[in-house]
Amino acid sequence: MLRLAAIIPFAIALMAAAPCEAQKRFPSSAGELAVETVASGLENPWGLAFLPDGRMLVTERPGRLRLVETDGKLSRPINGVPSVVARGQGGLLGIALDPAFAQNRLVYLSFSEPRSGGNGTSVARGRLNEQGTALTAVEVIFRQMPAINSNMHFGSRLVFDRTGALFVTVGDRYSQRDEAQNPANHIGKVIRIRPDGATPADNPKKEGWAPEIWSIGHRNVQGAVLHPQTGQLWTAEHAARGGDEINTPKAGLNYGWPVITYGVDYSGAKIGEGTSKPGMEQPLFYWDPSIAPSGAAFYTGPAWPAWKNSLFVGGLAGQILVRLSTEGEKVTGEERLLTDIGARIRDVVQGPDGFLYLLSDDADGKVLRVRPAR
C-alpha cells in the first residue's frame, strides 16, 4: 500500500495531467463529491486496472484492451487479445495484474470464448510489452466447462488473494441455473486457481467437487474484491427481480442459487424453495428491488477518512454508486450516491491517488473520477 506521503504528490500530478469536463457535483454524507471525466470514447468499458506508473488498462466488451494515459489519451487497441464472443453480455470482461507485475508484466483477462458447441468464460494471461502495445506469450489458463450456447451470465471478475491464487467468478449462463448446484462443473461457481491454471493445494477437497471450485450456488457474480484487513473475498452478485446479494464466499460452501433467493423470476414466478435452507449460506446483504450490482472496491484512501473500509458497488440498472458501511463481516448501513448521474456504473476501483474511479457502461463509455469537491 502506498504511504500517504507518496499518494499526495501523485494525486496532484494526476489531477493536473488528466483533462476533465466541467465537474458535476453530488451530495454525500462526507461532503460534496465532484465527478469528472478522465477519459471518454470507450465502447462499453468493463474492467479497469492501474499500472504502477498511474496509467490504466481498460477492457472494452467488444474485445479491445486500451491503455489510458495519465492525460486521458486512449491508445490504439493493444494487440494479442484473444478472440471473444461479443454478443449479449459476452465479450472482453474482467482484468487483473499479476501481484508481481512490476517484475513479470503479466496481465490476466477473462472473456467469453467461442467454443465448439457454444461458448464459455475463459481466462487468459499474457505479458504486456514495454511499449504497452501488445500482449505476448498469451495462453488460456482456465475454461469454464461445459460450453453452453448462450449469450448470458458469464460473470466475470478476477481477484488475486494474498497467497497468490486467482479467484475467477463465472455465471450460471442463465439457461443452466440448476447446474449452479452441481459441484462437478463450472456453472454458477467461484473458481480458485494458481496463476498458471493449476489447482491450489488448499482448495476444498469435497467428494464430487471439481478441484478448482471454491464455492457453489452463485448466479452471476460481477463484483469481487478482497477485504483490505482480513483478505476475505467479498462478492456482488446479480439476482433476477430482487435479491441481488453481497456474499463472502468461503471454501466448500453453498450460496444457495437457485434453491434459495430473495428475488423472483422476471415473470414474477417464484424461484426455488424460499429464502433459506439448511446447508445453504445467507447473504450478508441484499437489494430488493435490484440495482444490478457490478464492480466493487473497498475504500482505504485518505480522501474520505469516515469511509474507511466501506464497500463501494456500482449499479447498472440502478445507475448509482452504493456505499455499504461494514464492520467485520457485517454490512451496517447503505448510502446511495450519484443517484442522478445517468450512467450504468460497470466498475469501481480505488486509484493510487486515493480517489474512486468508475467505468460508465455505454457506447461512449467513460473513465470517471470521484473526489471531494473543492
Side-chain angles (χ1 to χ4, degrees):
M1 184 179 296
L2 293 175
R3 292 176 299 175
L4 182 58
I7 290 173
I8 292 175
F10 187 35
I12 294 171
L14 273 184
M15 289 172 63
C20 300
E21 68 178 15
Q23 297 171 10
K24 296 179 180 178
R25 298 191 172 210
F26 302 86
S28 85
S29 63
E32 200 171 34
L33 304 177
V35 179
E36 50 202 12
T37 298
V38 174
S40 59
L42 292 156
E43 186 176 358
N44 298 109
W46 215 94
L48 183 156
F50 275 93
L51 296 176
D53 61 7
R55 295 182 297 170
M56 294 170 263
L57 287 174
V58 176
T59 61
E60 294 177 281
R61 194 163 50 80
R64 294 181 294 271
L65 177 64
R66 304 272 193 175
L67 189 63
V68 182
E69 300 288 346
T70 55
D71 64 359
K73 182 180 179 181
L74 299 184
S75 74
R76 295 177 61 84
I78 292 172
N79 294 324
V81 173
S83 296
V84 308
V85 176
R87 297 194 303 268
Q89 297 174 356
L92 188 59
L93 306 173
I95 183 170
L97 303 186
D98 193 277
F101 176 85
Q103 290 74 46
N104 62 29
R105 299 190 64 81
L106 288 175
V107 176
Y108 296 74
L109 301 169
S110 64
F111 62 105
S112 54
E113 183 184 38
R115 313 248 191 89
S116 175
N119 51 60
T121 301
S122 296
V123 178
R125 71 172 182 178
R127 186 166 282 107
L128 184 68
N129 66 4
E130 292 290 343
Q131 299 76 28
T133 58
L135 294 178
T136 63
V138 176
E139 58 178 334
V140 175
I141 61 169
F142 169 78
R143 286 185 168 95
Q144 179 190 34
M145 298 299 291
I148 303 295
N149 187 15
S150 171
N151 297 329
M152 305 283 281
H153 293 194
F154 293 93
S156 165
R157 295 291 174 185
L158 304 176
V159 179
F160 279 95
D161 71 14
R162 291 179 177 175
T163 73
L166 179 64
F167 285 113
V168 183
T169 70
V170 293
D172 70 354
R173 309 309 316 282
Y174 186 71
S175 63
Q176 305 296 310
R177 69 187 191 188
D178 290 343
E179 290 299 308
Q181 288 294 315
N182 181 355
N185 64 37
H186 300 145
I187 305 299
K189 310 299 193 298
V190 172
I191 305 297
R192 184 170 178 263
I193 55 177
R194 300 299 303 167
D196 61 358
T199 300
D202 57 346
N203 267 16
K205 297 178 176 66
K206 300 185 72 170
E207 184 177 356
W209 283 48
E212 55 276 359
I213 291 176
W214 182 254
S215 58
I216 72 172
H218 300 281
R219 185 174 184 265
N220 192 19
V221 177
Q222 290 192 7
V225 63
L226 294 191
H227 191 283
Q229 293 180 321
T230 66
Q232 170 64 43
L233 180 70
W234 287 52
T235 58
E237 183 166 344
H238 285 246
R241 282 179 51 189
D244 298 336
E245 296 181 356
I246 297 295
N247 287 303
T248 52
K250 295 183 174 63
L253 297 186
N254 184 343
Y255 289 82
W257 177 258
V259 179
I260 60 172
T261 177
Y262 284 87
V264 297
D265 215 333
Y266 296 111
S267 66
K270 180 181 177 181
I271 298 173
E273 301 177 14
T275 58
S276 65
K277 186 173 183 177
M280 296 184 178
E281 303 303 307
Q282 286 290 300
L284 298 190
F285 184 86
Y286 69 91
W287 285 276
D288 188 8
S290 294
I291 67 164
S294 196
F298 276 103
Y299 187 72
T300 61
W304 299 285
W307 289 353
K308 184 177 180 181
N309 295 329
S310 287
L311 179 67
F312 285 85
V313 182
L316 294 168
Q319 298 190 5
I320 55 173
L321 178 66
V322 171
R323 183 182 71 85
L324 298 177
S325 54
T326 70
E327 184 176 334
E329 284 196 10
K330 293 181 180 178
V331 173
T332 58
E334 179 189 24
E335 181 177 10
R336 298 194 172 200
L337 304 169
L338 317 186
T339 53
D340 56 352
I341 194 170
R344 289 162 48 88
I345 305 303
R346 174 62 74 179
D347 202 7
V348 185
V349 176
Q350 180 180 311
D353 54 10
F355 303 142
L356 291 173
Y357 287 75
L358 315 177
L359 292 181
S360 66
D361 183 8
D362 190 49
D364 180 20
K366 298 176 175 62
V367 179
L368 303 172
R369 179 169 56 222
V370 183
R371 62 169 182 81
R374 291 178 291 178

